[in-house]
């Protein structure tokens, strides 16, 4: 080894510069991914400074999800053209990951806002509020589905949201038609929905009509929700109002933030009109 012209690095020195352990370098050498530039007669391994850049690219490609096998294929067929193609491909992957992270960040921000707002809501009060128009993405009609089919619809709806990246962080709710609510069928949903503050093009949406809504909160299991509906109907009568076309239900507190079903909170929004 001629140390006069070239500065070689021991395995330990090279590993320290690359911030990995020596076993990683041994493994890379074993699979032919990154081998020492020189091995002496005693079996000692030495690397050159210009191999650091190759290690950094390998490490970058690993972080971006590229398999060691695919990285190895590149290292065995290196050329400026193939490197350029690889970098363009990885740039595109980074763009996709950035979009995914931004979407997840918005989702988290929405959940934070919802829970922070809920901490100041008096759940024991029924209020009359004017709500703006909301754009909703709907499931298929579930009005006459069986219990087994209902579970299938939920699974299908969640899959749609994930595939189309329509999960906005808002809770999944249920829409019940006026006729069912008046008949006491409070959980006979016609559609599942999720709010879309920034609707994507190319999808069918339902516009929740802006207007006056009587808003109440049910604390406890779904099986006892009729008591809250009865209280809301009493308040509706006191205010001389009639039920509108739809009632919207969505969880405020569910299994995500509460351990006991008795502590779940369901928001009920009853569209109302004056008599």
């Amino acid at each position: 080894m001629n140390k006069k012209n070239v500065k070689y690095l021991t395995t330990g020195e090279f590993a320290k510069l690359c911030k990995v352990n020596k076993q990683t370098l041994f493994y890379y050498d074993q699979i032919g991914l990154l081998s020492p530039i020189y091995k002496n007669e005693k079996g000692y391994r030495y690397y050159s400074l210009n191999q650091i850049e190759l290690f950094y690219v390998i490490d970058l490609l690993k972080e971006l999800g590229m398999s060691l096998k695919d990285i190895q294929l590149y290292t065995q067929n290196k050329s400026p053209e193939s490197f350029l193609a690889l970098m363009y491909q990885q740039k595109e992957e980074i763009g996709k990951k950035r979009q995914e992270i931004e979407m997840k960040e918005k989702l988290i921000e929405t959940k934070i806002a919802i829970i922070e707002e809920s901490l100041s809501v008096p759940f024991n009060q029924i209020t009359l509020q004017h709500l703006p128009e909301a754009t909703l993405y709907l499931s298929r009609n579930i009005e006459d589905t069986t219990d087994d089919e209902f579970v299938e619809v939920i699974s299908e709806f969640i899959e749609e949201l994930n595939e189309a990246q329509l999960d906005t962080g808002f809770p999944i709710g249920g829409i019940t038609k006026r006729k069912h609510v008046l008949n006491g069928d409070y959980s006979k949903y016609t559609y599942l929905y999720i709010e879309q503050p920034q609707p994507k093009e190319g999808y069918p949406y339902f516009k929740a009509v802006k207007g006056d809504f009587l808003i109440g909160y049910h604390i406890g299991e779904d099986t006892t929700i009729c008591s809250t509906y009865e209280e809301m109907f009493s308040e509706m009568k006191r205010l001389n109002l009639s039920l509108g076309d739809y009632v919207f239900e969505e969880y405020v507190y569910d299994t995500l933030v509460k351990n006991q079903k008795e502590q779940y909170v369901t928001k009920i929004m009853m569209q109302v009109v004056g008599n």
Side-chain angles (χ1 to χ4, degrees):
M1 180 173 64
N2 187 352
K3 291 188 177 182
K4 292 182 179 179
N5 300 321
V6 181
K7 168 59 180 170
Y8 289 102
L9 303 170
T10 65
T11 301
E13 291 170 335
F14 191 77
K16 186 176 181 180
L17 283 174
C18 296
K19 298 181 181 178
V20 293
N21 56 48
K22 291 192 289 185
Q23 284 68 31
T24 298
L25 297 179
F26 292 153
Y27 180 65
Y28 283 1
D29 181 24
Q30 180 183 342
I31 64 175
L33 188 60
L34 175 62
S35 298
I37 197 81
Y38 175 82
K39 293 180 184 178
N40 67 13
E41 62 279 1
K42 294 183 179 180
Y44 290 117
R45 304 156 180 259
Y46 294 92
Y47 294 82
S48 69
L49 285 173
N50 61 22
Q51 287 183 291
I52 293 177
E53 184 65 25
L54 176 56
F55 178 87
Y56 285 163
V57 170
I58 293 171
D59 201 44
L60 171 65
L61 296 175
K62 276 178 57 184
E63 287 185 7
L64 293 174
M66 194 170 177
S67 69
L68 288 179
K69 184 178 180 180
D70 288 339
I71 298 173
Q72 187 180 21
L73 286 175
Y74 163 73
T75 60
Q76 292 173 351
N77 299 278
K78 288 181 282 189
S79 71
E81 291 79 12
S82 61
F83 179 74
L84 189 60
L86 181 63
M87 290 298 99
Y88 272 120
Q89 178 187 349
Q90 295 307 313
K91 181 181 179 181
E92 184 177 343
E93 289 298 319
I94 289 175
K96 292 178 182 178
K97 290 180 183 295
R98 184 184 297 114
Q99 288 180 343
E100 290 175 2
I101 290 173
E102 288 174 352
M103 184 186 71
K104 289 176 181 177
E105 184 179 21
K106 290 178 181 177
L107 186 148
I108 289 171
E109 287 174 350
T110 298
K111 291 191 178 297
I112 288 172
I114 290 172
I115 295 300
E116 285 184 341
E117 180 183 0
S118 72
L119 294 175
S120 61
V121 172
F123 293 140
N124 60 340
Q125 293 182 14
I126 297 172
T127 59
L128 180 64
Q129 299 180 30
H130 185 82
L131 299 183
E133 183 180 76
T135 301
L136 310 177
Y137 181 71
L138 303 185
S139 70
R140 60 182 168 94
N141 191 299
I142 57 173
E143 203 164 339
D144 297 314
T145 55
T146 64
D147 290 343
D148 289 340
E149 288 171 337
F150 181 68
V151 173
E152 182 183 327
V153 170
I154 294 175
S155 176
E156 179 185 281
F157 188 58
I158 291 173
E159 188 174 339
E160 287 176 15
L161 297 179
N162 291 334
E163 287 184 358
Q165 296 185 339
L166 293 172
D167 185 353
T168 56
F170 284 88
I172 294 175
I175 299 176
T176 311
K177 288 181 178 178
R178 180 179 188 273
K179 63 180 182 179
H180 298 310
V181 176
L182 291 177
N183 287 333
D185 296 327
Y186 305 127
S187 297
K188 193 177 180 62
Y189 302 137
T190 301
Y191 301 101
L192 301 177
Y193 72 87
I194 186 169
E195 188 173 342
Q196 301 287 314
Q198 296 177 320
K200 292 185 176 181
E201 293 184 5
Y203 294 93
Y205 296 107
F206 173 79
K207 296 288 186 179
V209 180
K210 65 180 179 180
D212 294 327
F213 285 79
L214 204 60
I215 298 178
Y217 297 87
H218 174 67
I219 303 173
E221 298 184 56
D222 293 343
T223 53
T224 61
I225 203 168
C226 57
S227 60
T228 303
Y229 270 93
E230 289 169 3
E231 290 177 14
M232 294 181 71
F233 273 120
S234 295
E235 181 66 8
M236 192 184 302
K237 184 177 180 180
R238 188 186 71 82
L239 296 172
N240 194 30
L241 298 170
S242 296
L243 184 64
D245 293 331
Y246 300 102
V247 174
F248 301 85
E249 271 187 28
E250 57 189 45
Y251 275 120
V252 178
Y253 295 160
D254 57 8
T255 183
L256 189 65
V257 296
K258 293 290 186 179
N259 289 323
Q260 304 298 325
K261 290 182 179 179
E262 295 77 14
Q263 297 176 327
Y264 290 178
V265 177
T266 305
K267 185 178 182 179
I268 304 171
M269 295 164 281
M270 305 176 76
Q271 186 182 13
V272 293
V273 292
N275 289 325

